[in-house]
Amino acid sequence: MNQTTVSYKNDRYPLILLVLLGLALMWSLIRPADYFTWLLEVLPAGVGAVLLMAIYRQFRFTNLVYTLIWLHALILIVGGHYTYAEMPLFNWIRDTFGLERNYYDRLGHFAQGFVPALIVREVLLRKTTLGSGGWLTFLIVSVCLAISAAYELIEFVVAKATGTAAEAFLGTQGDVWDTQWDMLFALIGALTAVILLSGVHNKHLKQLKH
């Protein structure tokens, strides 16, 4: 057994995050705005948690990446409880600054680029011969945009299948350019993560080797 395995075998940080996520899920189930919307929004977080637990012994991410995944899951859970169009804090921001709409969905799509960027970066650096540089950044951004585009297609299919019941899930609030803005914020999120967190991420990756 190598030193890396010993070092992380007794690390309870991912378990703590999982417990906190479970508590957040239980809170979100208490009188959400709509149970169908709640299911649609929270489902990706649940699937992601199950997948991470399934691969934990084969591929353990850094605590930085687990933290970001946890924060992204919280964004989804809160959005599921209130709906993206009625998240109270962003309603307050809208009313205080005279904005046209609740922009909580923009935060969600920013996270949809920001968080996967670090996930993809970690997988590529640990499982391929790629090093830091232009090709790594290009692949990270490309994968993040592909994920965001795929999610937009899923939203479209759900909207067609369920009709008006999916309106809260889409969270467009009458914005005809919503899909374009979603992709743009995912792109900004991915680039922001690479620019701001690559150095910190490298330090976390080095900890896996000691």
Side-chain angles (χ1 to χ4, degrees), residues 41-60:
E41 299 292 0
V42 170
L43 186 60
V47 171
V50 171
L51 179 60
L52 289 174
M53 288 188 287
I55 67 171
Y56 183 81
R57 293 183 180 275
Q58 290 75 35
F59 194 94
R60 186 217 188 276

Side-chain angles (χ1 to χ4, degrees), residues 106-196:
R106 298 286 188 256
L107 174 64
H109 285 93
F110 178 86
Q112 198 174 77
F114 192 93
V115 177
L118 269 292
I119 297 174
V120 174
R121 188 176 193 273
E122 183 152 326
V123 172
L124 290 176
L125 287 177
R126 290 174 59 184
K127 292 297 184 179
T128 73
T129 58
L130 277 172
S132 298
W135 277 111
L136 178 65
T137 300
F138 173 76
L139 289 174
I140 290 170
V141 172
S142 297
V143 172
C144 290
L145 288 178
I147 292 172
S148 188
Y151 201 74
E152 292 297 323
L153 289 174
I154 292 172
E155 288 183 335
F156 173 78
V157 170
V158 171
K160 286 295 184 181
T162 61
T164 57
E167 183 177 350
F169 173 55
L170 294 172
T172 58
Q173 303 172 65
D175 189 349
V176 297
W177 297 101
D178 186 70
T179 299
Q180 290 82 350
W181 280 111
D182 292 347
M183 295 297 295
L184 176 60
F185 272 79
L187 172 61
I188 294 172
L191 290 173
T192 302
V194 172
I195 293 170
L196 295 184

Side-chain angles (χ1 to χ4, degrees), residues 61-132:
F61 284 98
T62 57
N63 285 345
L64 172 63
V65 168
Y66 280 132
T67 301
L68 292 175
I69 294 172
W70 179 75
L71 289 172
H72 194 184
L74 286 185
I75 292 173
L76 294 173
I77 290 170
V78 171
H81 181 79
Y82 293 110
T83 77
Y84 277 72
E86 296 297 336
M87 197 277 188
L89 175 60
F90 279 71
N91 274 342
W92 176 84
I93 293 174
R94 177 199 63 200
D95 297 338
T96 301
F97 296 98
L99 303 178
E100 294 181 355
R101 65 196 288 277
N102 183 309
Y103 284 105
Y104 186 68
D105 61 318
R106 298 286 188 256
L107 174 64
H109 285 93
F110 178 86
Q112 198 174 77
F114 192 93
V115 177
L118 269 292
I119 297 174
V120 174
R121 188 176 193 273
E122 183 152 326
V123 172
L124 290 176
L125 287 177
R126 290 174 59 184
K127 292 297 184 179
T128 73
T129 58
L130 277 172
S132 298

